[in-house]
Amino acid sequence: MSVAHLLLVVHSGGDAVPHIVEADAEHPQLAVMDVAATRGDGIFETLSVVQGHPQALEAHLSRFERSARMLDLPTPDRGLWRDAIVAVAERLADHDEAWVKTVLSRGVEGQPLPTGWVYGTVSPDFRRERTEGLSVVLLDRGYRSDVAQSSPWLLAGAKTLSYAVNRAAVREAQRRGADDVIFVSTDGLLLEGPTSTVLVKRGERLSTPPADFGILPGTTQEDLFHAASEWGLAAVVEPITPEQLRDADAAWLVSSVRHAAPVRSVDGVPKPVDAALSAAMNGFLHARRT
Ligand code: PLP
């Protein structure tokens, strides 16, 4: 990473107002007993930054608050976190594409205050993924699509720091010769990628699975759905089966930093890439300034 910027959000306790402190991203800042490191007990957001502008900022702040509620963490102070994100993003204004990450952990073991920080750096070049697309495999997530209702303690759909399972799924995809994953529920419905939302185009219909299937409500998907009518598409939230994905005209994995990556094969079976719509989606996503 060539450029990294870090601000710590300091929770001082008592009546003291939480505040922002500048820190050096190249030097250690985290206590070894912080549960972010020892248990993955916390939440995060990753935002894309285009020429210094954080994209979908308010949607990310809302989802950060939602994840905090799901984990019984203190509500993040919206104004403070917004200021920290904007401050880090501004330092990346010389770069066309960058990203900023916010982290809130339950804090140091045995102490009552959460730990928070915001950092950012330059994005990788995703031109190949956005144009040539991704080969994906379908992997069973091992949960039914009603897991969020039946077992809320599993935190399905919260953006927790525990991404070891998501990373393991991508390694399994790579072992199978693929780039990425679409998780499927045990009752046979598409869920999401390990770091992305699934979009499927069938005719004039652009669909995504319901967030109450225990998946993360995507900020990129939400923005694309607002724009769908510009491309003559009806945006629909609905259950999607693997068969419907295989038969679909086109599909994408969409996410904040990589933006829209077309799916070029599913379990080794080629899928057509809609190059024009992929370019339109990525042009729209790149142009966002809020
Ligand atoms: N689903 C999961 C599990 C994710 O980790 C992400 C993003 O990292 C997404 C979906 C896409 O969300 P967004 O578009 O807000 O980046």
Side-chain angles (χ1 to χ4, degrees):
M1 289 196 190
S2 50
V3 193
H5 298 283
L6 172 65
L7 298 174
L8 301 178
V9 177
V10 178
H11 300 87
S12 348
D15 292 333
V17 181
H19 56 283
I20 298 170
V21 168
E22 180 130 5
D24 184 348
E26 306 304 322
H27 288 99
Q29 305 290 340
L30 199 64
V32 290
M33 284 175 67
D34 196 295
V35 295
T38 59
R39 298 188 196 275
D41 188 359
I43 58 171
F44 75 101
E45 282 295 320
T46 306
L47 299 83
S48 61
V49 174
V50 171
Q51 294 156 20
H53 300 277
Q55 299 188 309
L57 175 57
E58 298 307 319
H60 281 284
L61 288 167
S62 297
R63 197 171 64 188
F64 201 43
E65 292 163 8
R66 173 181 178 274
S67 296
R69 276 195 302 280
M70 291 174 77
L71 271 75
D72 306 309
L73 284 164
T75 309
D77 177 326
R78 199 175 180 107
L80 188 78
W81 285 89
R82 184 190 292 114
D83 287 352
I85 293 166
V86 167
V88 174
E90 278 171 356
R91 289 164 202 204
L92 293 159
D94 289 345
H95 304 277
D96 188 43
E97 293 191 34
W99 54 266
V100 167
K101 186 161 171 171
T102 65
V103 184
L104 177 66
S105 96
R106 206 173 300 280
V108 174
E109 198 113 24
Q111 290 183 19
L113 291 171
T115 311
W117 68 97
V118 176
Y119 69 100
T121 192
V122 181
S123 295
D125 182 349
F126 284 119
R127 268 175 300 187
R128 191 183 62 79
E129 289 84 347
R130 291 171 188 168
T131 52
E132 293 173 27
L134 302 170
S135 54
V136 306
V137 289
L138 303 185
L139 294 184
D140 184 346
R141 193 173 232 178
Y143 297 153
R144 277 200 327 259
S145 58
D146 63 355
V147 63
Q149 294 75 46
S150 63
S151 317
W153 47 87
L154 292 179
L155 302 176
K159 202 161 168 69
T160 78
L161 293 175
S162 317
Y163 261 48
V165 167
N166 305 44
R167 307 301 298 169
V170 173
R171 291 196 301 277
E172 177 60 24
Q174 289 166 347
R175 272 193 289 274
R176 298 183 187 196
D179 302 312
D180 212 328
V181 174
I182 296 177
F183 287 120
V184 181
S185 65
T186 52
D187 49 335
L189 297 168
L190 297 191
L191 296 172
E192 62 186 344
T195 60
S196 57
T197 308
V198 181
L199 299 187
V200 169
K201 179 179 175 291
R202 288 173 292 155
E204 314 289 89
R205 206 174 169 87
L206 188 65
S207 332
T208 198
D212 67 7
F213 281 3
I215 62 179
L216 197 72
T219 63
T220 314
Q221 167 267 315
E222 188 184 4
D223 279 350
L224 286 169
F225 268 31
H226 285 134
S229 60
E230 288 176 27
W231 306 312
L233 297 171
V236 185
V237 176
E238 61 185 351
I240 307 167
T241 64
E243 294 66 37
Q244 288 170 326
L245 169 66
R246 286 187 199 104
D247 294 344
D249 304 332
W252 293 263
L253 293 183
V254 305
S255 52
S256 292
V257 182
R258 193 170 62 188
H259 288 169
V263 172
R264 67 176 154 79
S265 70
V266 178
D267 290 334
V269 180
K271 276 211 78 58
V273 165
D274 188 330
L277 188 51
S278 300
M281 286 181 176
N282 281 311
F284 163 80
L285 291 171
H286 187 271
R288 291 172 302 162
R289 289 296 177 270
T290 57

